[in-house]
Amino acid sequence: MSINIRKATSDDAPFLAQMILQSTRADKKIGIYDLIFKTKNDKDVLNYLEKFTNTNAKSSCHYSNFLIAEIDGKSVGSLCSYEPRIATREVFLEALSEIGVDGEESEYLGLMEICSFPINTRTLIFDYMEELEGFMDVGILKALMHKSLLTARLKGYRIAQTIVEIGSLETLLYYKKLGFKEVKQKECDPYKEIFGRPGLILLSIEF
């Protein structure tokens, strides 16, 4: 089974929206975009996310930050890598504004100020590492990460980080299999109250 890795394009917006929603829900009742878009309706959240990947402001969710894995021409997995010095909080808010969402009103950003970690802007950040159900254990995530790390090296990066939820055992295991090591954990009561997960884990890889 041959896996093809390619850069995402604006036409991939529906698939990227699906992967982002799948990643952020992760077996929880709500994810961060339910909170940001103030709706739990899948159709509405996906519609917002499709637009969000195609804004002029290049936030962390912009399609240009994604690689897509294909098998026999079918999109089966995604991996986002972005530079935090470029995809800043301000850019994120600007992108939300483009699709008619006031991010400043979202409790999510305030929550992350309390519960997340300070990010080293000299690192690369990985997010939205996902694969379609039925295509697990065929090397999709490994192929995506391998290609992303090669690209990162060409940009001069030697360290990458990612953040996963405490209790998201499958995702944590995937990253550790790919060579990431746990840096620190942060339990956060407000995060647990909203999402039902105790907090977050910071992982890092040197390459």
Side-chain angles (χ1 to χ4, degrees):
M1 188 179 293
S2 178
I3 302 170
N4 176 52
I5 306 296
R6 64 172 176 82
K7 290 183 177 182
T9 71
S10 59
D11 292 336
D12 292 307
F15 179 73
L16 294 179
Q18 181 185 352
M19 293 293 95
I20 293 170
L21 182 59
Q22 180 176 307
S23 174
T24 53
R25 286 264 183 85
D27 299 322
K28 302 188 302 292
K29 291 182 179 179
I30 66 168
I32 65 171
Y33 290 103
D34 301 284
L35 207 62
I36 291 172
F37 301 140
K38 298 180 180 179
T39 176
K40 297 178 185 178
N41 182 286
D42 285 7
K43 184 178 179 181
D44 291 338
V45 175
L46 288 169
N47 184 48
Y48 272 124
L49 285 171
E50 281 188 39
K51 294 175 182 177
F52 196 45
T53 65
N54 271 291
T55 55
N56 292 318
K58 293 186 177 181
S59 74
S60 53
C61 288
H62 193 268
Y63 72 82
S64 60
N65 293 322
F66 282 83
L67 290 178
I68 287 180
E70 293 180 327
I71 294 178
D72 296 331
K74 176 183 174 66
S75 297
V76 294
S78 72
L79 179 61
C80 172
S81 62
Y82 65 91
E83 300 170 87
R85 64 184 181 84
I86 296 173
T88 61
R89 181 181 188 275
E90 290 70 30
V91 173
F92 189 81
L93 290 172
E94 186 181 341
L96 286 175
S97 180
E98 281 188 48
I99 63 172
V101 175
D102 186 350
E104 293 283 10
E105 289 187 351
S106 170
E107 62 180 308
Y108 171 70
L109 293 179
L111 180 68
M112 295 311 290
E113 287 177 4
I114 299 170
C115 299
S116 195
F117 305 95
I119 296 298
N120 182 348
T121 57
R122 295 181 180 179
T123 67
L124 196 68
I125 304 296
F126 286 111
D127 208 346
Y128 311 123
M129 182 175 69
E130 288 294 323
E131 55 194 349
L132 286 183
E133 188 175 351
F135 288 90
M136 297 179 181
D137 300 323
V138 295
I140 291 169
L141 300 183
K142 185 176 180 180
L144 283 165
M145 185 61 71
H146 179 70
K147 179 67 174 180
S148 289
L149 291 177
L150 285 176
T151 303
R153 286 193 189 98
L154 293 175
K155 290 182 178 180
Y157 285 99
R158 292 297 177 266
I159 300 174
Q161 294 183 316
T162 191
I163 295 173
V164 302
E165 292 174 322
I166 297 173
S168 188
L169 299 178
E170 191 172 320
T171 302
L172 183 62
L173 180 61
Y174 275 139
Y175 274 113
K176 286 187 174 182
K177 279 184 176 179
L178 294 169
F180 282 76
K181 295 181 179 179
E182 187 173 324
V183 177
K184 62 179 72 171
Q185 288 192 23
K186 187 173 184 179
E187 294 189 5
C188 186
D189 288 338
Y191 197 92
K192 184 176 183 179
E193 190 175 320
I194 293 173
F195 296 116
R197 297 282 171 86
L200 300 168
I201 302 172
L202 179 66
L203 301 168
S204 181
I205 186 172
E206 294 186 26
F207 51 92

